[in-house]
Amino acid sequence: MADIFPGEYLSHTLAKDLKWCRRMAYYRVYGCWGGWSPDSDPDTRDLYTAKQTRTLQMHGGVLVHDIAKKMLQLHRAGRRVPDDEKVIARAGARFMEDIDYSTSMRWKKIGNPRKALLILREHFQGADLDMDEVMTCKDTVMESTRSLVRDWIPKLLEDGTDCWQTIDAIDRVEHAGYTLFIVPDFLRSWYPGELRFDILDWKTGRWPDHDQIVLYALYVIKKWKQTRDVDIPVSAITGTSVPLRANISDLKPTLITEESIESTLAMIDAAIVTLKELHPAGLDKDPTAFTRTDDRSRCDNCSYQFHCEFDV
C-alpha cells in the first residue's frame, strides 16, 4: 500500500489496530512510511521491515490462500490440475522452503523488504524458531490444503466455474473519502443474469469469523454500486467463513442482515473519525498521541514490541 498516502486508507487490519492498540496503528501507517527505501533513517527502515514480518501461523495462512487462488484459477481456465497428493505434498515442501529462506537471512540484502519471500518475526527479532511449532504449522498447511482440494473444490465445481470470481490482487472500494481495502478470498457471482452472490473466506484455524463475512458483504454492495451503479440488496448475498480443518457438515453460513451491515459501517466510520483525529500527530511523527494498549498480553503478538518498549 506504499502508493496510498497515510491518512487516506483503512484496512481490516488497521481497524483492528485502532481498536486494540493505537500505537501499533502509528507504526503500521506513519512510523514506517518511506522505509522501503534503503536510504531511509534506521528507525523508519526497522519499522517498515517489521511491518513485513509474519508469524509461522500467519505465513501458513498466506500460503494456503495462495494455493487456493492458484488451484481455482487452474480449474476456471480449464487447464491441467495436478494430482491432489502432489498439491498437498508441495504445500508442505513449500512451507519448509520458505522457512529456510527466512532462516538464511537473505531478506536483509533486499533493497525493499516488501519483496522478500518471507521474513519470520522470530528471525527479525533475533529469536530461535521452535521446531515443534514449525512442524505443527506445516501439518496445518497440509491438512488445510487437503480439505481444500478434496472437499471444497469438488463441491464448488458442482455449480460450474462461470460464476467464479477469484480475487487476484488487493482490491478497494471508496467510503467517506477513504480507500477501504476489504476483499473476500472467493466470490461467486451470478450477475447480471441473477442478483445472487456467495462469499467464501478460507481459514486455517478451526473457528469461523462471521464479522469478516459481513465486512465482505459490504464490499460486494459498494463495489457493484461504484463500478456498475447497481444496488445489491442484502438478501442477495450469502457467505460462509470456512475453517478448512473443521468438519464441513458443521459449518453454518453467516447471518447477513441490514443491521449487521449498518453495524459494520458504524465501526468503519468510527475508525475513520479516529484516524482523522490522529492524522496531524502522525504526520509529525509523534507516536505519543497514539495510546498504547493496557492489555500487555497483546504485545507478545506485535511485530513492533521491541521498538515500542523504548519509544516513550
Side-chain angles (χ1 to χ4, degrees):
M1 299 180 191
D3 59 327
I4 304 294
F5 191 74
E8 297 178 356
Y9 75 86
L10 180 69
S11 67
H12 184 53
T13 301
L14 179 54
K16 289 194 295 185
D17 287 352
L18 289 169
K19 180 179 178 180
W20 292 344
C21 179
R22 293 183 179 182
R23 185 65 59 88
M24 187 187 298
Y26 168 79
Y27 292 136
R28 187 183 302 280
V29 177
Y30 297 97
C32 73
W33 180 257
W36 53 82
S37 170
D39 299 326
S40 59
D41 68 84
D43 280 350
T44 301
R45 179 74 168 179
D46 205 38
L47 288 170
Y48 186 77
T49 305
K51 182 178 178 179
Q52 315 310 316
T53 64
R54 297 174 185 163
T55 63
L56 287 165
Q57 293 81 4
M58 288 167 59
H59 185 62
V62 169
L63 180 55
V64 170
H65 279 73
D66 186 52
I67 292 168
K69 184 179 75 173
K70 289 179 178 177
M71 293 298 294
L72 292 166
Q73 287 173 335
L74 287 175
H75 280 286
R76 186 177 57 178
R79 296 174 57 189
R80 185 181 68 85
V81 178
D83 177 77
D84 288 355
E85 288 304 318
K86 288 184 178 179
V87 175
I88 296 165
R90 180 62 191 138
R94 181 179 163 190
F95 180 77
M96 296 306 296
E97 289 166 5
D98 291 352
I99 300 304
D100 289 342
Y101 171 88
S102 181
T103 303
S104 74
M105 302 293 184
R106 293 202 300 274
W107 47 270
K108 287 188 173 183
K109 301 177 182 178
I110 294 179
N112 185 343
R114 190 179 183 183
K115 297 181 179 180
L117 181 64
L118 171 64
I119 307 174
L120 282 174
R121 185 176 295 167
E122 289 88 346
H123 293 145
F124 174 71
Q125 295 177 345
D128 293 328
L129 284 179
D130 182 334
M131 290 311 297
D132 288 338
E133 187 176 2
V134 170
M135 299 313 296
T136 297
C137 288
K138 177 187 175 184
D139 290 343
T140 295
V141 167
M142 295 181 70
E143 187 180 346
S144 298
T145 303
R146 183 177 294 108
S147 172
L148 180 73
V149 298
R150 288 185 177 176
D151 300 330
W152 280 97
I153 290 181
K155 181 180 176 65
L156 293 171
L157 284 169
E158 292 174 3
D159 287 334
T161 62
D162 289 345
C163 60
W164 291 10
Q165 305 286 319
T166 54
I167 308 302
D168 301 328
I170 291 178
D171 206 350
R172 61 190 73 180
V173 293
E174 303 301 319
H175 177 72
Y178 271 62
T179 296
L180 306 183
F181 290 96
I182 48 173
V183 62
D185 295 330
F186 184 67
L187 174 67
R188 291 190 291 177
S189 166
W190 286 265
Y191 176 86
E194 182 182 358
L195 275 184
R196 182 159 68 99
F197 303 85
D198 185 54
I199 299 165
L200 293 179
D201 188 55
W202 315 117
K203 299 292 180 187
T204 51
R206 294 189 182 276
W207 310 107
D209 185 345
H210 295 296
D211 290 342
Q212 203 163 4
I213 294 295
V214 175
L215 186 64
Y216 294 151
L218 177 63
Y219 162 85
V220 172
I221 292 170
K222 283 189 166 291
K223 192 69 174 179
W224 257 253
K225 182 62 176 177
Q226 292 173 11
T227 61
R228 299 171 176 86
D229 197 26
V230 174
D231 293 312
I232 306 298
V234 171
S235 58
I237 308 172
T238 56
T240 306
S241 183
V242 182
L244 288 165
R245 294 185 294 147
N247 190 324
I248 194 170
S249 62
D250 292 338
L251 296 182
K252 305 294 183 185
T254 297
L255 182 62
I256 303 171
T257 64
E258 295 282 357
E259 290 76 15
S260 63
I261 292 291
E262 288 301 320
S263 177
T264 299
L265 273 173
M267 178 271 293
I268 291 172
D269 288 338
I272 288 175
V273 168
T274 300
L275 281 174
K276 287 181 176 179
E277 291 174 349
L278 294 172
H279 185 57
L283 291 180
D284 290 339
K285 292 290 185 88
D286 176 16
T288 60
F290 295 74
T291 54
R292 295 176 181 159
T293 178
D294 292 327
D295 183 359
R296 304 298 291 175
S297 65
R298 293 194 182 277
C299 300
D300 295 335
N301 258 345
C302 179
S303 298
Y304 312 106
Q305 58 176 297
F306 292 116
H307 190 91
C308 184
E309 183 178 354
F310 301 102
D311 196 356
V312 296

